Amino acid sequence: MEQKRELTSVDLAALVEELGAFEGAKVDKAYLYGDDMVRLKMRDFDRGRMELVFEVGETKRAHTVAPERIPDAPGRPPQFAMMLRNRLSGADFVDVEQYEFDRILEFTFDRDDGTTRIIVELFGQGNVAVTDGEYEVIDSLETVRLKSRTVVPGSRYEFPDTRTNPLTVSREAFDHEMNDSDTDVVRTLATQLNFGGLYAEEVCTRAGVEKAMDIEEADERVYDRLYEAIERLALDTRNGNFEPRLYLERDEEDDTDSEEADGDGAGGDASEQVIDVTPFPLEEHEAEGLVAEGYDSFLAALDDYFFRLELEDESEPDPTEQKPDFEEEIAKYERIIEQQQGAISGFEQEADDLREQAESLYAEYGLVDDILSTIQNARAQDRPWDDIEERFEEGAEQGIEAAEAVIDVDGSEGIVTVEVDGEYIDLIAHDGVEQNADRLYTEAKRVEEKKEGALAAIEDTREDLEDAKQRRDQWDADDGDEDESDEDHDDTDWLSMQSVPIRENEPWYDRFRWFHTSDGYLVIGGRNADQNEELVKKYLEPGDKVLHTQAHGGPVTVLKATDPSEASSSDIELPDSSIEEAAQFAVSYASVWKDGRYAGDVYAVDSDQVTKTPESGEYLEKGGFAIRGDRTYYDDTPVGVAVGIQCEPYTRVIGGPPSAIEGQAETMIELEPGRYAQADAAKRLYRQFREEFSDESFVRKIGSPDRIQHFMPPGGSRVVEE
């Protein structure tokens, strides 16, 4: 029997009833896993830590999760997660509703600075939209542009057209929907009444009505029994009279043991497979011989069901796998490395955030000093903390800048929370600005020390991974397998591999725009004026070529003759093909693409023609430079960018001119200027790449939509049609 991977409308109605008990919980942090799972870490004052998860990919679910089952936090949070943190940190969870009888949940959070609504769509392609209190979309995982509705940042969120809610339908409306049908009873309940297949069959069974009965044969007595069954289901849902069940399918040889299920939700035998989870016992499932396990709450049943479903997915044997033991060990080390890298990125981000907070204190020294001095003077006069907080509130109402910056005053801890440059910063009230800033700098150093420990740990894990691979390769050789070696991988079918090995590499130039030409030369370009400045000052060596567009706003593009670790040389003659690819790179990432044009002029000069010293009387802006001598022009250079997935020698996202990427990527998608915003286009590419690999988790491990966006030109794009 097919396993349940999406919650039904009845499930959501029950879910809302139980989630209501958590109203008042506070949000600590938000996370985004891949492109389809959102996690909210919260604190409930009665129950302690609470983890709320929404998943809107192939599996569509929303429920609380036991903290010990929460996956490790991903690495550097993408923009969507940062937006959620900025809007929700410290917010109260005040309400959750199901929209009509649709598979849509609306979560409402309140904070002093406003209301945030998270609308979770658990139907179709799935989506999570974040809106303000007036339903204006702040951001969404997916952009929806249909004739019937639109979900786009900046616009008002539009719900789908309403449908009949069978749990609130009147008898008159029920009769009308049934009489309007031209099919059998069960299909009418499933479609006209919106019950869906499973609960339409359950209503028929509970009412004692033949499912296949033609609607024309159904008389008033049949309608009475059906409506009574629906009313009982609706009453149990409204009153929270749940008896949750997790249903399992047991292998035939184990049928004799089916009566011994203890129903305590403790997990089944290896021969059992989870099939469904429901808020009520279903006669339909009992008739099919499924084994039932009872739970105290529907949320606990949902958590256990999807946890066990994921375990079964991970442990399901692959008939094409030749060495499951080796591959499992390798995959384990790769997962550990991924988690360790995520931790390292998290430490880096945390340290950066702390330093930025410290710098913000100095940048707004007068404002912060005014706040701290006010508190210290008041405390010196023995004024209570409550009076101090009221004084700030009154000042904020009068428009006093310092008072408006105070978010919270916690007298029990002697902490004042202020908003500076859009950041919430906790200050120790009895310390000065310098002491608070020094504390933040010290904390940043402590976090960086944790990063060093994580770097040492990841090296140990990489050694374990290499050892496992060597033992696998030795087993292959001893067994007579003829798998290709690392040096002979041209015929490897990476797209069909069930588990693509991860070979990560973070080069020194990764923070710039970059690609390798088809001749193997590195090309790097600046993303902004600061990076343009850095490239010319720090990385420009004799023998390099510098390219730039005639159009304003282009990156400094450097075609490297050597690696920075090598001795520079002016004797290397760079191939014309590499220079032409570098020219296309320069024009594609300039304003030419953003303006929707398909070509632009580029010039190239030698590195010794570039200087940061202006002529007398001239001034160079940051990122600017002066050229001495003749230039070589490449007129009407066509724009062109491809984004690809590379599998050898490293597994990573790459991007640049199509002629260069084609020979280095296992698969690539070519782009041209178009109407899709950069973020929307990146999500489209991400989904397409995921579909191309048999290893469904591979692209998620190496390339999020944010990572793909890293290689895309500024402005709108679209996929080049083949």
Side-chain angles (χ1 to χ4, degrees), residues 99 115 169 336 348 399 591 689 700:
Y99 177 70
T115 296
V169 68
I336 293 173
E348 291 174 346
S591 59
F689 283 137
R700 176 174 55 80

Side-chain angles (χ1 to χ4, degrees), residues 683-695:
K683 292 174 184 176
R684 290 169 179 263
L685 266 61
Y686 174 77
R687 289 194 296 268
Q688 187 169 331
F689 283 137
R690 284 187 63 175
E691 292 172 358
E692 292 189 30
F693 284 86
S694 296
D695 182 355

Side-chain angles (χ1 to χ4, degrees), residues 164-229:
T164 299
N165 184 342
L167 300 186
T168 59
V169 68
S170 67
R171 177 57 191 267
E172 181 181 2
F174 171 80
D175 288 353
H176 173 76
E177 294 292 349
M178 298 295 286
N179 292 331
D180 196 42
S181 174
D182 59 359
T183 182
D184 56 31
V185 171
V186 71
R187 293 181 185 177
T188 302
L189 291 172
T191 57
Q192 298 288 104
L193 272 296
N194 298 312
F195 264 118
L198 175 62
Y199 280 94
E201 293 181 356
E202 181 68 15
V203 168
C204 288
T205 300
R206 292 186 179 189
V209 173
E210 176 62 38
K211 303 171 190 174
M213 176 185 292
D214 194 284
I215 199 70
E216 294 181 355
E217 299 175 7
D219 56 20
E220 193 70 17
R221 289 176 300 174
V222 171
Y223 281 11
D224 286 342
R225 295 203 300 273
L226 290 171
Y227 192 73
E228 287 174 6

Side-chain angles (χ1 to χ4, degrees), residues 592-603:
V592 174
W593 186 291
K594 193 172 184 179
D595 294 341
R597 292 182 284 140
Y598 284 78
D601 297 337
V602 183
Y603 65 82

